[in-house]
Amino acid sequence: MSVATQRPAAAETEAGLVVRLRGAGRAFGPTQVLREIDLDVAPGEFVALLGRSGCGKTTLLRLLAGLDDGATGDLQTGRAPAVVFQDPRLLPWRSAVANVALGLRDGEGGDGSPRQRAAAALAEVGLAGREEAWPRQLSGGQRQRVALARALVREPDLLLLDEPFSALDALTRVSAQALVRRLWELHRPAVVMVTHDVEEALLLADRLILIEDGRIAHDERFELPRPRRRDHPELVARRSDLLRRLGVDDAE
């Protein structure tokens, strides 16, 4: 079984794609978690990965993030991607602005000092004035906003979201979804988002991919003007179809 090729820089990614996978796979001992994944993601594209627990969604995201070097096949991506996890993973001994600026260097990610760029990123996510707040002083939604600011401050061409809203309450989740949509429209990175929430995928993504038993079982485009309404007939119809494909009764 061949090992995965080295991840190239953005300029080397074939056909101008941010992600290009051919025959990608991942096994853990005798268990094959991902099988023969072929996937292209274009610049600025918003992709949602759906599937039952254990189907391989997060494993695929970790491969794209470069956090797992045990893959096989041909894996190519753009610049070092930015990742936002379900847990914001902030350093508790650093302020919000210091968490966002972590690892930034002068001249990286735009004009201004690392602190100035980090403060501007916090303002973008609605946290102007909270630069010196410690993580323990922030709500769960605010901590996730800091994590988003930290991911976007370097202007990545690929943003990976691993169920970033699942730990939030319903109202905070709606606000966070709107924020991600606005930030995507502003920065236009390619986005690959893992979610269990079909409605969330339809509200945010342009493309919906279902993973089943480690393979891509369904891949479709979804074109609906933004912002999208949950009660839009097309969204409701697609939701029912996707739930059926996932083996869920829409009436449940």
Side-chain angles (χ1 to χ4, degrees), residues 189-209:
V191 176
V192 178
M193 177 181 71
V194 167
T195 179
H196 281 94
D197 188 331
V198 170
E199 186 175 89
E200 178 173 271
L202 289 166
L203 286 170
L204 293 174
D206 299 306
R207 185 174 166 200
L208 309 163
I209 295 177

Side-chain angles (χ1 to χ4, degrees), residues 3-20:
V3 297
T5 59
Q6 186 176 2
R7 304 169 64 85
E12 297 169 344
T13 305
E14 294 184 21
L17 298 168
V18 179
V19 170
R20 184 180 185 276

